[in-house]
Amino acid sequence: MHPIFTTKITKFRADESFETDDILVREIKLDIRINGVKVGAMMATPTDLEALGIGYLLSENILESYSDVTSLKFDESELVLDVVAKVDETNLKNLNTEAVIISGCGRSVTANVNPANIQAKMIKQGVSFARNEISKQMSEFYTQCELYEKTGCVHTAKLKIGDKFYIGEDIAQHNTIDKAIGKAAMDGANLSDGLLMVSGRLSSEMVVKAVVNGLPVLVSRTAPTSLGVLIARKFNLTLCGFARGENLNVYSGTERVHA
C-alpha cells in the first residue's frame, strides 16, 4: 500500500484560484493480532508496519526479543498485522487492563504510564556523545526523510547506531519511535549504543519507549513534559530538549554529553 495519496484541490493565490493536484499522506487503522488474538489497533501511516508492530510490542514488554518471533505478516486487504511469537502473558494482560490512550497524534494505548510500574532496567553509563555531534545530527534531522519532504505531514524519528540510521515516519509520533526501534531490533543492532532523535515533544510515553528498550540518549528540538523528565531521571536516560543550532537543554543524564 502506497503511503502517498493524490487528490484534486482548489488553491487560492491572492485574487486567483485554480485546481491542482495535492499530495497527502495516507492514514489507515492497523489491527495487531498476536497468536491469533487481536490485542490492539492504531492509526498509522502504511510504511514499515512490521517494524511498527515489533517496536510497539518490545516497548510494551510483551516481546522480550525479536528472536522470539516465529512469524510476522501484514495482510493489506484486512489491514491486520499478524504476529506469532513467544510473549509475556502478564504484560499482555496488563495492556488490556491497565492501558490508557496516549497523548501523541493518532490513537494508541500503553500500559507504561506509572513510573512505579514500568518494567525496565537502569540504563548503564556506556556510550556518550559529543555536544557538537548531537547538534550536527539534529541540524541534518530531516535528511533521508522522504515522506516529510513530500507531504510535510508526518512526524519523524531517527535512531543512529554506529554509522547506520533507522528512520521511522508516521502521522503519530509514538509510531515513529516504534518503527525506528523495530527496524533496529529486526536488524540485530545494539540499542544500548543508540542516539534516538525525534521531531516532537518528549512526553512520558516517548521517554518510556527509549527506557524500556535500553536506549541511552533521547533528543528533540522541543520540550519534555514533567513526567517525561521524572521517568528519564529514574532510569538514568539522557534526555535532551530544545536542540537547536548550538543550544541544548539536558534534563537528565548529563554525563553522556561531553564537549
Side-chain angles (χ1 to χ4, degrees), residues 127 159-162 166 184-185 187-195 213-216:
V127 67
L159 174 54
K160 183 179 187 297
I161 301 178
Y166 302 93
D187 193 39
N190 185 359
L191 296 180
S192 64
D193 291 335
L195 170 65
N213 288 284
L215 288 162

Short mmCIF file of all heavy atoms in Angstrom, two decimals, residues 127 159-162 166 184-185 187-195 213-216:
data_model
loop_
_atom_site.label_atom_id
_atom_site.label_comp_id
_atom_site.label_asym_id
_atom_site.label_seq_id
_atom_site.Cartn_x
_atom_site.Cartn_y
_atom_site.Cartn_z
N VAL A 127 27.86 4.39 26.43
CA VAL A 127 28.18 5.31 25.36
C VAL A 127 27.93 6.76 25.78
O VAL A 127 27.10 7.05 26.64
CB VAL A 127 27.33 4.97 24.11
CG1 VAL A 127 25.85 5.24 24.37
CG2 VAL A 127 27.81 5.73 22.88
N LEU A 159 17.04 6.92 14.55
CA LEU A 159 17.86 6.21 15.54
C LEU A 159 19.22 5.94 14.91
O LEU A 159 19.34 5.21 13.93
CB LEU A 159 17.17 4.90 15.93
CG LEU A 159 17.93 3.94 16.85
CD1 LEU A 159 18.39 4.63 18.13
CD2 LEU A 159 17.07 2.73 17.18
N LYS A 160 20.25 6.55 15.49
CA LYS A 160 21.62 6.40 14.99
C LYS A 160 22.35 5.40 15.87
O LYS A 160 22.49 5.60 17.08
CB LYS A 160 22.35 7.74 15.00
CG LYS A 160 23.76 7.69 14.42
CD LYS A 160 24.42 9.07 14.45
CE LYS A 160 25.76 9.06 13.73
NZ LYS A 160 26.75 8.16 14.37
N ILE A 161 22.82 4.32 15.26
CA ILE A 161 23.63 3.33 15.96
C ILE A 161 24.87 3.09 15.11
O ILE A 161 24.78 2.54 14.01
CB ILE A 161 22.86 2.01 16.18
CG1 ILE A 161 21.58 2.27 16.99
CG2 ILE A 161 23.74 0.99 16.88
CD1 ILE A 161 20.74 1.03 17.22
N GLY A 162 26.01 3.54 15.60
CA GLY A 162 27.22 3.48 14.80
C GLY A 162 27.06 4.37 13.58
O GLY A 162 26.68 5.54 13.69
N TYR A 166 18.22 4.29 11.45
CA TYR A 166 16.94 3.61 11.34
C TYR A 166 15.87 4.68 11.47
O TYR A 166 15.76 5.33 12.51
CB TYR A 166 16.80 2.54 12.41
CG TYR A 166 17.90 1.52 12.37
CD1 TYR A 166 19.05 1.66 13.16
CD2 TYR A 166 17.82 0.41 11.54
CE1 TYR A 166 20.07 0.73 13.11
CE2 TYR A 166 18.84 -0.53 11.49
CZ TYR A 166 19.96 -0.36 12.27
OH TYR A 166 20.97 -1.30 12.22
N ALA A 184 15.63 -1.44 13.95
CA ALA A 184 16.93 -1.74 14.55
C ALA A 184 16.94 -3.13 15.17
O ALA A 184 17.91 -3.90 15.01
CB ALA A 184 17.28 -0.69 15.59
N ALA A 185 15.86 -3.49 15.87
CA ALA A 185 15.78 -4.81 16.50
C ALA A 185 15.78 -5.91 15.45
O ALA A 185 16.45 -6.95 15.62
CB ALA A 185 14.52 -4.90 17.36
N ASP A 187 17.15 -5.78 12.65
CA ASP A 187 18.47 -5.78 12.03
C ASP A 187 19.56 -6.31 12.97
O ASP A 187 20.72 -6.42 12.57
CB ASP A 187 18.82 -4.35 11.59
CG ASP A 187 20.02 -4.29 10.66
OD1 ASP A 187 20.13 -5.17 9.78
OD2 ASP A 187 20.84 -3.37 10.79
N GLY A 188 19.17 -6.62 14.21
CA GLY A 188 20.14 -7.12 15.19
C GLY A 188 21.06 -6.07 15.74
O GLY A 188 22.14 -6.38 16.29
N ALA A 189 20.68 -4.79 15.67
CA ALA A 189 21.52 -3.70 16.15
C ALA A 189 21.53 -3.66 17.68
O ALA A 189 20.58 -4.10 18.33
CB ALA A 189 21.04 -2.37 15.59
N ASN A 190 22.59 -3.11 18.24
CA ASN A 190 22.74 -2.97 19.69
C ASN A 190 22.10 -1.65 20.13
O ASN A 190 22.70 -0.58 19.98
CB ASN A 190 24.21 -3.01 20.09
CG ASN A 190 24.41 -2.99 21.59
OD1 ASN A 190 23.44 -2.91 22.36
ND2 ASN A 190 25.65 -3.04 22.03
N LEU A 191 20.90 -1.71 20.68
CA LEU A 191 20.17 -0.50 21.05
C LEU A 191 20.87 0.30 22.14
O LEU A 191 20.67 1.51 22.25
CB LEU A 191 18.76 -0.86 21.48
CG LEU A 191 17.86 -1.50 20.42
CD1 LEU A 191 16.48 -1.81 21.00
CD2 LEU A 191 17.72 -0.61 19.19
N SER A 192 21.69 -0.36 22.95
CA SER A 192 22.36 0.34 24.06
C SER A 192 23.42 1.33 23.56
O SER A 192 23.96 2.09 24.35
CB SER A 192 23.01 -0.67 25.01
OG SER A 192 24.04 -1.40 24.37
N ASP A 193 23.71 1.34 22.25
CA ASP A 193 24.64 2.31 21.67
C ASP A 193 23.91 3.41 20.90
O ASP A 193 24.54 4.19 20.20
CB ASP A 193 25.61 1.60 20.70
CG ASP A 193 26.59 0.69 21.42
OD1 ASP A 193 26.86 0.92 22.61
OD2 ASP A 193 27.08 -0.26 20.77
N GLY A 194 22.60 3.48 21.04
CA GLY A 194 21.81 4.33 20.17
C GLY A 194 21.63 5.77 20.61
O GLY A 194 21.56 6.08 21.80
N LEU A 195 21.54 6.64 19.63
CA LEU A 195 21.13 8.04 19.80
C LEU A 195 19.80 8.19 19.10
O LEU A 195 19.72 8.10 17.88
CB LEU A 195 22.18 8.98 19.19
CG LEU A 195 21.79 10.47 19.07
CD1 LEU A 195 21.60 11.09 20.44
CD2 LEU A 195 22.84 11.23 18.27
N ASN A 213 13.58 0.02 26.03
CA ASN A 213 14.45 -0.62 25.06
C ASN A 213 15.93 -0.37 25.31
O ASN A 213 16.78 -0.77 24.51
CB ASN A 213 14.08 -0.15 23.65
CG ASN A 213 12.76 -0.73 23.18
OD1 ASN A 213 12.69 -1.91 22.81
ND2 ASN A 213 11.69 0.06 23.22
N GLY A 214 16.25 0.28 26.44
CA GLY A 214 17.65 0.46 26.83
C GLY A 214 18.41 1.47 26.01
O GLY A 214 19.64 1.46 25.99
N LEU A 215 17.70 2.37 25.32
CA LEU A 215 18.38 3.41 24.56
C LEU A 215 18.92 4.47 25.52
O LEU A 215 18.17 4.96 26.37
CB LEU A 215 17.42 4.05 23.56
CG LEU A 215 17.04 3.17 22.37
CD1 LEU A 215 15.78 3.69 21.70
CD2 LEU A 215 18.18 3.11 21.37
N PRO A 216 20.18 4.88 25.41
CA PRO A 216 20.77 5.76 26.41
C PRO A 216 20.47 7.24 26.25
O PRO A 216 20.48 7.99 27.22
CB PRO A 216 22.27 5.50 26.27
CG PRO A 216 22.44 5.11 24.83
CD PRO A 216 21.18 4.35 24.47
#
